[in-house]
Amino acid sequence: MSTITDDTQMTDAAGPGASAAATATGRPRRRGRPRPRWWLYIVLTLGLIAMVMPFAWMILGSFKTNAEIRQYPTTFWPLEPTLDNYAQLFGRLDFTTFFTNSVIVAFFVTLGNIVFSSMVGYALAKLEFRGKRLLFVLVLATLMVPGVVTFVPLFVLTANLGLVNSYPGLILPFLITPLGVFLMRQFMLSLPDDIIEAARIDGAGEWRIFLRVIMPLCGPAVATLTILTFLASWNNFLWPLVVATTEDKYTLPVALALYSVGQNAAQYGLMMAGAVVVVVPVLLIFVVLQRYFVQGIALTGIK
């Protein structure tokens, strides 16, 4: 009798929902910690393995001979690890020139996007002028246009300006992108207008407000734009392949694609060693800016 009374009191204290559960099962419903979602961890683990496996295969493949990579059945771990691919990459190819070209192009493209996309984004977010909404609609419309559509007109324009096979020809067409403008505009919309009005009352001009007030608050958005722009420029292949006509202007992806394919067979080991070298700078930048990158994605609403 005492046990039944205690169970009844526990059921009454828990509420109507618990009473219904107790009536259906014959025992009170206990409240405690939520059940662990083991299936969620399994799905996330499988997704992590699926994403990491290509990189692991690339790194391990860079230590294999070309014959071992092509053999069937394939091997995951190198049977006879070798550094010949890296020796060939740094020895036979003019790696320093290609790497320097990639760094120069990616640096100035990223810097230009940070400066000009931020300026346009500030104008669209915080300034009032005629045609503002129309201009923003045009920016959104350009996001829907595939790059291959504008490739030929852009090359013709570059050739007419005499910029073929030059650093300006590799850099200028990408100094500002619609994605960068949209990202910076969305982030700046979240900044309060009161700080801008306070700066104007103190006598600050628009340039000073932009440089001293707005930009210091845009760290997450700038970090996001830096990663996305650097990654796109660093891995860009088609435009440097067409614009750069001599070896001294080749970027690293173009050089790897041209020199890893021989007359008889592709040198997959050399290709994978080069891919490892290409990926390392991007990973370093992401590791340094990952905290700001996550904040920028969350605050700008990009999915």
Side-chain angles (χ1 to χ4, degrees):
M1 293 294 293
S2 177
T3 303
I4 297 175
T5 303
D6 294 342
D7 291 345
T8 303
Q9 293 176 354
M10 291 175 59
T11 303
D12 294 339
S19 302
T23 304
T25 60
R27 62 175 182 270
R29 183 179 179 180
R30 297 182 179 180
R31 293 183 178 182
R33 296 181 178 178
R35 296 180 180 179
R37 299 180 178 180
W38 54 269
W39 56 270
L40 180 60
Y41 293 104
I42 293 177
V43 172
L44 293 177
T45 303
L46 294 176
L48 177 63
I49 294 175
M51 295 182 63
V52 172
M53 279 297 295
F55 293 96
W57 177 265
M58 176 185 67
I59 295 173
L60 295 175
S62 66
F63 295 101
K64 298 179 181 179
T65 62
N66 202 47
E68 184 179 350
I69 295 176
R70 295 172 62 90
Q71 76 177 14
Y72 182 82
T74 59
T75 59
F76 186 74
W77 294 99
L79 299 178
E80 298 179 359
T82 178
L83 295 175
D84 291 343
N85 296 319
Y86 290 96
Q88 188 176 5
L89 175 66
F90 294 105
R92 194 188 76 175
L93 303 183
D94 192 1
F95 179 82
T96 304
T97 299
F98 303 146
F99 187 84
T100 302
N101 291 339
S102 293
V103 171
I104 292 174
V105 173
F107 173 79
F108 283 103
V109 168
T110 304
L111 180 62
N113 271 270
I114 292 175
V115 174
F116 297 118
S117 296
S118 299
M119 292 169 60
V120 179
Y122 172 71
L124 293 177
K126 297 302 182 180
L127 300 182
E128 295 297 333
F129 56 91
R130 183 176 300 178
K132 172 181 175 179
R133 296 195 177 187
L134 177 60
L135 181 59
F136 181 63
V137 171
L138 292 177
V139 171
L140 294 180
T142 55
L143 285 173
M144 307 176 189
V145 179
V148 67
V149 175
T150 60
F151 188 87
V152 174
L154 190 60
F155 176 77
V156 172
L157 178 61
T158 303
N160 291 335
L161 293 174
L163 301 179
V164 174
N165 198 36
S166 65
Y167 287 125
L170 295 170
I171 296 171
L172 288 179
F174 306 100
L175 280 183
I176 185 170
T177 59
L179 178 61
V181 173
F182 176 76
L183 189 149
M184 296 304 298
R185 185 254 184 190
Q186 292 301 108
F187 184 87
M188 291 179 181
L189 283 177
S190 63
L191 301 179
D193 295 333
D194 295 340
I195 58 176
I196 299 177
E197 294 299 330
R200 287 172 180 167
I201 292 175
D202 291 339
E206 295 300 331
W207 280 106
R208 188 175 181 181
I209 294 174
F210 174 72
L211 294 175
R212 298 293 184 88
V213 178
I214 298 299
M215 289 305 295
L217 299 176
C218 294
V222 171
T224 304
L225 182 60
T226 299
I227 293 176
L228 296 179
T229 306
F230 184 87
L231 178 62
S233 179
W234 184 262
N235 294 330
N236 194 7
F237 172 75
L238 187 57
W239 182 256
L241 176 65
V242 174
V243 175
T245 58
T246 58
E247 293 185 3
D248 61 324
K249 292 298 186 295
Y250 284 171
T251 57
L252 198 54
V254 174
L256 291 175
L258 294 180
Y259 291 105
S260 62
V261 179
Q263 295 181 353
N264 300 322
Q267 303 181 46
Y268 294 108
L270 177 61
M271 191 181 301
M272 291 188 180
V276 172
V277 175
V278 170
V279 166
V280 169
V282 179
L283 291 179
L284 292 178
I285 291 179
F286 181 78
V287 169
V288 173
L289 301 177
Q290 63 174 338
R291 180 165 62 95
Y292 301 101
F293 176 75
V294 174
Q295 293 179 4
I297 292 295
L299 294 177
T300 53
I302 293 185
K303 299 180 180 180

